[in-house]
Amino acid sequence: MTLTGAGEPERLEGATVTHNFFKVLGRSPLLGRGFLPEEDAPNGPSVVILGYGVWQRRFAGESAIVGRSISLNDVPTVVVGVMPADVDFPYHSDLWVPLQPDPVRFNCWCFSLIGRLKPGLTAADAARDIKAVTDAFAADRRDVFPQVSKEGARIVAMPLTARLIEQVRRPLLILQGAAALVLLIACSNVANLLLARATARRREMAVRCCLGASPGRIVAQLLAESVLLSLAGAAAGLALAYAGVGALRHAWSAQVPRLEQAHVDLPVLLLTTAIALLSGVLSGLAPALRGARVDLQDGLKDGSRGTATGATLRMGNAFVVVQFALSLVLLVGAGLLLRSFGRLLAVDPGFRAEHVLVGRLQPPVARYPNDTVVRGFYGQLLDRVKALPGVQAAGVVSRVPFTRGNPQDNVEAEGKPALLGEPVKVANIRFVTPGYFAAIGTPILRGRPIQDGDVESSLRVAVVDESFAKHFWPGQDAIGKRFRHTGDTSSTRWLTIVGIAPNVKHESLDEEPSLQVYESFQQATPFTMYLVVRAESAPEALTAGIRTQVAALDPALPLYEVQTMPRLLSGSLATRRLTNTLLVAFAATAMLLAAIGIYGVVALTVNGRVREFGVRLALGARPAEVLRLVLRHGMLLASLGVAIGLLGALAVTRLLRDLLYGVDPLDPVTFLAVAVVLTATALLASWVPANRAARADPLAALRSE
């Protein structure tokens, strides 16, 4: 609805709801009251409940707003309440008005129902009851609503939470899984470092035992040190989380739904503390147990050298293998999603998005009472916009690709009526002016586009896409063929196909082709339309000029949702792009941790074999041979981890199938590339301690022994 009379006109997103809507949600207004039953009757009074944001932004949070009359769509409307700041359901609503259901006006399938289940019942129980009601409704009204008599028309019941998060649930679960893998890798890495530290403290532990410390006391001390380290790391991580979440909100909230609500709160703090404590115990348990089982004689005699025992080395090796296996699983998942995203970016959407600017308009019924007035307004606006410097083409359409809402209707081809029990065919319906196809950059493959002569008094025409033509007339030329909307039985309402357009992606780049129909705006005129303008260069530069032309025709009519077509296209990929970005960051962190882990193990091995390397070099071994000996150990661990990780990735990547486009979950290129990268990383991490061992001075090594 358009708010006027309180500063500049502003377009507000709202919802029409029944009077008990907020009662069902379990929420009450912050100010005022909810809707009354008599306000929800046909031709009832014009009342509204405002959202908190609008109340603060446009009315400065005045408590006296309740009872005041404001202008919405040029209709005086009384404010009866204000909702709390955390209530914006559905669709980030700015306001709510009574539905006032009228069977004459609301003869459509355009409502969503929300119900609160009785105790002990489930969504499946509700679905069965709703199906019974729907079937009875269809049986009684086959002649009035033919579409409900066909299989495929049904009401779907699901939990509200599932409906709200269905598009982001899988990506969030994948990110949670990735975070868990990074945590496990970090824990094994810290355990490795603590093992090395415990080796260096063997003499200290032996002295403590000689002075009467029990193994349990030593385990408790080492675990306490480990937990303190993890808590310190958690504190640093929380500081990073505050900054990171803020950066994410700033960069992505305009594109990712409800990301602006993400924040670090008390439950997150408690969970982080619990995970830190658990991680500290898990990371320090094995080193603590190993440190408590010190041999007193060997510890007092050799502890100063910090030489690792065989058991310690074996445990460290096992940790490195685990790190590499988990890292490979994470890297393969990230690689598959990146390759999929690349394939998605290469998809032809059916139009040329560059240099295109779109904006939305909805003339209010009070000042635009009929189709003639609406057509006159849009005709004048297009003439003015086309005359602006830098405009190549302009048109209007009832719905632009990658915007919310998708008007549809059931259709049937002439001579091919749907049989009883056969699913009806549903097509997306768009109403366009002659300049739309040139403005959006969609070519006409055969026939012609909508033209100026396609007016209300002339032959009803339509342009359809290739999917529509192939479905109804496979192997034939659809030009000149006729179809109609299923519920329209008038013989004069047949539409003649005059052009064939390519399939256009309207919801997402990976969607399956759907049936598209483009009808003449002069023959069927919606109120809400999108203005589409193709610019010669930067489309944003045209925004001010277009707003000026709209204001010249109607100062109280706002042009809203103004943005470029590339931004709309990019917005449809925002969730995928954010998921990929975070997953790549997790994978890079995992690879870094794995590299640190193998470096630590190889370095520990080198330190423990100082005498051996000294003897080898003193007896004539070449440095290159020592280098190969050390590298062989590191590469053996890495290869074992990569092999185990490949087996794990074969199982885990199947969970990504629904998120991939044009890439097989078992894509051999990705698996091979990740294995090579991880192996090369292990080689580089092992090179440094191996090179140090090869350059050791044999006399110094023997003298230190």
Side-chain angles (χ1 to χ4, degrees):
M1 309 186 83
T2 301
L3 173 65
T4 55
E8 290 293 322
E10 181 182 355
R11 183 70 182 178
L12 301 176
E13 290 287 332
T16 52
V17 299
T18 54
H19 67 276
N20 64 339
F21 173 75
F22 294 110
K23 181 179 179 182
V24 172
L25 290 184
R27 299 306 303 269
S28 300
L30 179 67
L31 295 178
R33 59 171 175 81
F35 296 125
L36 303 176
E38 55 268 26
E39 293 171 340
D40 193 25
N43 302 315
S46 296
V47 294
V48 63
I49 294 178
L50 296 178
Y52 187 88
V54 176
W55 175 52
Q56 292 290 326
R57 185 176 67 253
R58 297 303 298 264
F59 303 101
E62 296 181 20
S63 58
I65 188 66
V66 176
R68 184 189 303 178
S69 178
I70 62 176
S71 179
L72 293 174
N73 285 357
D74 290 342
V75 176
T77 306
V78 177
V79 178
V80 298
V82 176
M83 294 305 297
D86 61 340
V87 179
D88 63 353
F89 181 81
Y91 312 126
H92 299 280
S93 298
D94 296 315
L95 53 82
W96 298 264
V97 296
L99 180 62
Q100 299 178 349
D102 186 343
V104 176
R105 286 195 302 124
F106 292 159
N107 179 9
C108 65
W109 297 93
C110 52
F111 296 105
S112 297
L113 285 79
I114 301 175
R116 187 171 293 278
L117 295 172
K118 293 180 178 179
L121 296 184
T122 66
D125 298 324
R128 283 192 295 270
D129 290 346
I130 291 172
K131 184 178 184 303
V133 174
T134 306
D135 291 344
F137 180 86
D140 292 341
R141 296 167 174 82
R142 292 183 189 276
D143 55 334
V144 181
F145 299 105
Q147 60 265 49
V148 301
S149 66
K150 312 294 184 182
E151 294 180 1
R154 66 192 189 281
I155 296 176
V156 179
M158 64 170 61
L160 180 58
T161 301
R163 177 66 181 85
L164 291 174
I165 67 172
E166 61 180 345
Q167 294 184 348
V168 297
R169 181 176 182 273
R170 183 65 65 86
L172 288 178
L173 289 177
I174 289 175
L175 289 177
Q176 285 183 328
L181 288 179
V182 172
L183 179 64
L184 289 175
I185 294 170
C187 286
S188 62
N189 203 305
V190 172
N192 243 341
L193 296 176
L194 292 177
L195 275 175
R197 188 165 179 264
T199 299
R201 298 173 67 186
R202 288 180 64 200
R203 185 182 184 87
E204 174 193 345
M205 295 300 114
V207 171
R208 288 178 179 273
C209 290
C210 289
L211 293 177
S214 65
R217 179 67 179 271
I218 293 178
V219 168
Q221 176 189 333
L222 295 178
L223 281 180
E225 294 175 359
S226 173
V227 169
L228 284 175
L229 286 174
S230 65
L231 289 177
L238 282 174
L240 183 62
Y242 274 107
V245 170
L248 283 177
R249 284 202 306 262
H250 178 74
W252 295 87
S253 60
Q255 302 178 52
V256 179
R258 301 193 180 276
L259 184 61
E260 72 279 359
Q261 298 179 5
H263 61 283
V264 180
D265 55 10
L266 181 60
V268 172
L269 292 174
L270 295 177
L271 178 63
T272 302
T273 303
I275 291 177
L277 291 172
L278 180 61
S279 301
V281 172
L282 292 178
S283 300
L285 186 60
L289 293 176
R290 176 60 54 191
R293 292 201 297 267
V294 61
D295 185 281
L296 297 183
Q297 183 175 355
D298 289 342
L300 292 173
K301 180 177 63 176
D302 300 325
S304 59
R305 293 203 314 257
T307 303
T309 64
T312 299
L313 291 175
R314 286 193 297 272
M315 189 176 298
N317 294 341
F319 282 137
V320 168
V321 171
V322 170
Q323 288 178 50
F324 269 80
L326 295 178
S327 298
L328 186 133
V329 173
L330 203 49
L331 284 167
V332 167
L336 289 173
L337 288 176
L338 285 178
R339 292 202 69 198
S340 171
F341 193 70
R343 296 282 179 87
L344 205 58
L345 291 177
V347 170
D348 180 10
F351 57 87
R352 291 184 295 112
E354 66 278 5
H355 304 315
V356 175
L357 184 73
V358 301
R360 196 174 183 184
L361 292 156
Q362 184 176 9
V365 178
R367 285 185 284 114
Y368 297 81
N370 54 58
D371 291 351
T372 302
V373 179
V374 174
R375 292 169 189 164
F377 166 77
Y378 282 114
Q380 293 180 62
L381 178 61
L382 286 176
D383 290 339
R384 288 171 172 265
V385 171
K386 290 176 183 177
L388 291 174
V391 173
Q392 285 187 346
V396 296
V397 63
S398 54
R399 195 231 171 178
V400 172
F402 300 102
T403 54
R404 200 177 71 210
N406 189 25
Q408 297 177 320
D409 203 354
N410 304 326
V411 294
E412 66 178 9
E414 186 176 25
K416 299 181 179 181
L419 302 176
L420 186 64
E422 179 185 358
V424 296
K425 293 310 298 181
V426 177
N428 302 324
I429 310 297
R430 309 284 182 263
F431 300 97
V432 303
T433 59
Y436 169 71
F437 292 105
I440 198 68
T442 296
I444 299 299
L445 304 178
R446 297 189 302 280
R448 66 170 178 85
I450 300 297
Q451 297 178 346
D452 291 328
D454 299 324
V455 296
E456 192 171 15
S457 59
S458 63
L459 178 72
R460 281 174 57 87
V461 298
V463 173
V464 300
D465 68 353
E466 292 180 288
S467 295
F468 191 101
K470 290 178 181 178
H471 175 79
F472 286 109
W473 300 282
Q476 304 179 44
D477 187 1
I479 301 296
K481 297 294 194 295
R482 302 203 303 173
F483 70 95
R484 69 181 178 186
H485 300 280
T486 304
D488 197 344
T489 58
S490 171
S491 60
T492 63
R493 305 302 287 177
W494 288 100
L495 288 93
T496 301
I497 298 175
V498 296
I500 308 295
N503 295 330
V504 172
K505 305 291 186 180
H506 279 274
E507 302 291 338
S508 63
L509 289 176
D510 60 347
E511 70 182 12
E512 294 296 326
S514 56
L515 309 187
Q516 303 285 341
V517 173
Y518 304 91
E519 300 184 27
S520 173
F521 173 71
Q522 297 289 338
Q523 295 178 338
T525 307
F527 278 69
T528 302
M529 300 291 285
Y530 284 87
L531 176 66
V532 183
V533 181
R534 177 166 293 277
E536 294 177 353
S537 55
E540 299 92 338
L542 296 173
T543 303
I546 295 174
R547 290 189 185 277
T548 300
Q549 299 306 320
V550 173
L553 292 173
D554 189 342
L557 183 64
L559 177 69
Y560 62 106
E561 295 182 14
V562 180
Q563 54 190 315
T564 63
M565 202 67 219
R567 183 173 178 82
L568 275 174
L569 195 59
S570 176
S572 69
L573 300 171
T575 301
R576 286 178 181 263
R577 185 178 287 109
L578 178 59
T579 302
N580 292 346
T581 301
L582 294 176
L583 194 58
V584 168
F586 285 145
T589 303
M591 188 169 67
L592 177 62
L593 290 174
I596 294 173
I598 196 168
Y599 170 84
V601 165
V602 174
L604 183 64
T605 302
V606 169
N607 290 338
R609 299 173 66 182
V610 172
R611 173 181 288 179
E612 175 191 342
F613 294 143
V615 171
R616 286 177 181 271
L617 292 171
L619 294 177
R622 290 176 297 176
E625 294 174 337
V626 175
L627 182 69
R628 284 197 299 270
L629 181 66
V630 178
L631 286 179
R632 188 183 304 120
H633 174 65
M635 297 309 297
L636 178 63
L637 296 179
S639 300
L640 184 58
V642 167
I644 296 175
L646 287 174
L647 295 176
L650 289 174
V652 173
T653 53
R654 298 178 187 274
L655 302 176
L656 299 176
R657 186 179 300 275
D658 293 341
L659 296 178
L660 300 179
Y661 177 82
V663 177
D664 190 271
L666 304 180
D667 178 50
V669 174
T670 303
F671 276 70
L672 180 61
V674 169
V676 170
V677 169
L678 206 54
T679 303
T681 302
L683 179 62
L684 183 62
S686 302
W687 179 270
V688 177
N691 189 52
R692 188 170 65 248
R695 296 169 60 185
D697 182 355
L699 292 180
L702 293 175
R703 190 180 302 114
S704 68
E705 292 298 311

